[in-house]
């Protein structure tokens, strides 16, 4: 009697690399192999296989573990960029409390008359406002301190996981470009006199990126969808909120995350460098076109 086992039937359904008889759609966030529940180890975003966890624990310099998106695992374990951004926003908020001038000089403004009587804004050559506004937050008014508290909580909640899977420079580019996307959309479709402050555009960009990357890695995305829906409802139902900043940040964040997550492995570095640069150039061109439109005819 033969003791040879018959080969397993071919199937198009992916199976665990360690247990070929078990179907699964979840991939390891480091090596990208399919893993079943028994082989899964929880990670910041998605799961890792037992071999990658063991490799990471050994900490061998000659084989530095990387995430599916190319980030160095151990190097991004401490979310330095996330904590730095939170610290910067808090420091700027304290400066705001000391002087209203900080808000007027650095908030997003297309073109308007400032308290001193001078005309200022992006259309007047103050392009830095597109960037600096993402570090400002409302002091007093209808939201008060809850504005910065919610944004910093959201950054603390989703920032470390994204920074670990993306790496520091990709995460920083995602945050800054999402914030710029919100400012640019407000500049394009809003009134020149419209002003705005807050990191909300960048935060919405992180929400969008978390959803895209979570889908790519097979992780749970239900909670972030619920959070997004709630915040979008608030955005369009509460007066005084810049929907342009939120939607612009969300669109840029999701698009950039898609370029990060679905870049061909052979050209991953090219895509990861080229995508942020392409987004930056596009935003700059849109700003220049809008500025030319607002410039008075000579």
């Amino acid at each position: 009697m033969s003791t040879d086992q018959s080969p397993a039937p071919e199937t198009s359904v992916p199976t665990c690399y360690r247990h070929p008889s078990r179907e699964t759609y979840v991939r390891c966030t480091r090596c990208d192999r399919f893993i079943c529940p028994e082989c899964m180890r929880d990670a910041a975003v998605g799961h890792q296989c037992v071999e990658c966890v063991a490799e990471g624990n050994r900490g061998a310099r000659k084989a530095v573990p990387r995430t599916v998106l190319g980030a160095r695992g151990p190097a991004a374990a401490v979310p330095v960029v996330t904590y730095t951004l939170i610290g910067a926003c808090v420091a700027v908020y304290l400066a705001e409390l000391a002087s209203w001038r900080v808000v007027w000089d650095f908030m997003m403004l297309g073109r308007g008359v400032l308290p001193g009587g001078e005309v200022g804004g992006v259309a007047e050559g103050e392009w830095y406002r597109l960037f600096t506004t993402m570090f400002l937050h409302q002091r007093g008014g209808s939201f008060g301190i809850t504005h910065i508290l919610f944004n910093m909580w959201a950054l603390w909640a989703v920032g470390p996981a994204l920074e670990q899977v993306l790496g520091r420079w990709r995460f920083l580019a995602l945050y800054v470009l999402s914030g710029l996307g919100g400012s640019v959309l407000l500049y394009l479709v809003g009134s020149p006199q419209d002003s705005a402050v807050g990191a909300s555009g960048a935060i919405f960009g992180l929400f969008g990126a978390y959803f895209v990357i979570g889908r790519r890695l097979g992780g749970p995305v239900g909670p972030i969808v619920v959070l997004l829906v709630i915040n979008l409802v608030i955005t369009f139902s509460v007066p005084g909120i810049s929907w342009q900043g939120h939607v612009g940040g969300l669109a840029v964040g999701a698009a950039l995350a898609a370029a990060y997550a679905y870049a061909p492995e052979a050209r991953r570095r090219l895509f990861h460098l080229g995508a942020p640069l392409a987004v930056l150039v596009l935003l700059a061109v849109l700003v220049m076109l809008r500025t030319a439109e607002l410039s008075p005819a000579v």
Side-chain angles (χ1 to χ4, degrees), residues 78-221:
V78 179
V80 174
V81 176
T82 299
Y83 294 156
T84 301
L85 291 171
I86 292 175
C89 288
V90 171
V92 172
Y93 187 72
L94 294 177
E96 291 180 48
L97 295 179
S99 173
W100 271 103
R101 191 73 193 184
V102 174
V103 179
W104 285 105
D105 286 347
F106 298 101
M107 69 180 182
M108 176 56 201
L109 178 67
R111 176 188 284 132
V113 180
L114 301 176
E118 67 274 19
V119 177
V122 178
E124 295 297 316
E126 298 173 345
W127 289 24
Y128 59 85
R129 290 178 180 270
L130 297 162
F131 171 79
T132 55
T133 188
M134 71 181 76
F135 294 96
L136 299 170
H137 287 85
Q138 185 174 355
R139 48 165 289 189
S142 56
F143 298 102
I145 197 172
T146 59
H147 190 205
I148 187 173
L149 287 180
F150 173 79
N151 279 343
M152 294 305 98
W153 169 83
L155 179 53
W156 174 81
V158 303
L162 284 173
E163 185 174 346
Q164 182 176 14
V165 74
L166 288 174
R168 290 170 181 167
W169 73 264
R170 295 178 187 85
F171 175 73
L172 180 60
L174 172 69
Y175 185 91
V176 171
L177 290 175
S178 296
L180 287 175
S183 297
V184 171
L185 185 60
L186 175 61
Y187 188 49
L188 291 177
V189 304
S191 168
Q193 293 78 30
D194 288 345
S195 61
V197 295
S200 301
I203 298 300
F204 266 76
L206 298 187
F207 288 165
Y210 198 101
F211 172 79
V212 172
I213 294 173
R215 286 290 301 271
R216 168 66 176 84
L217 300 181
V221 295

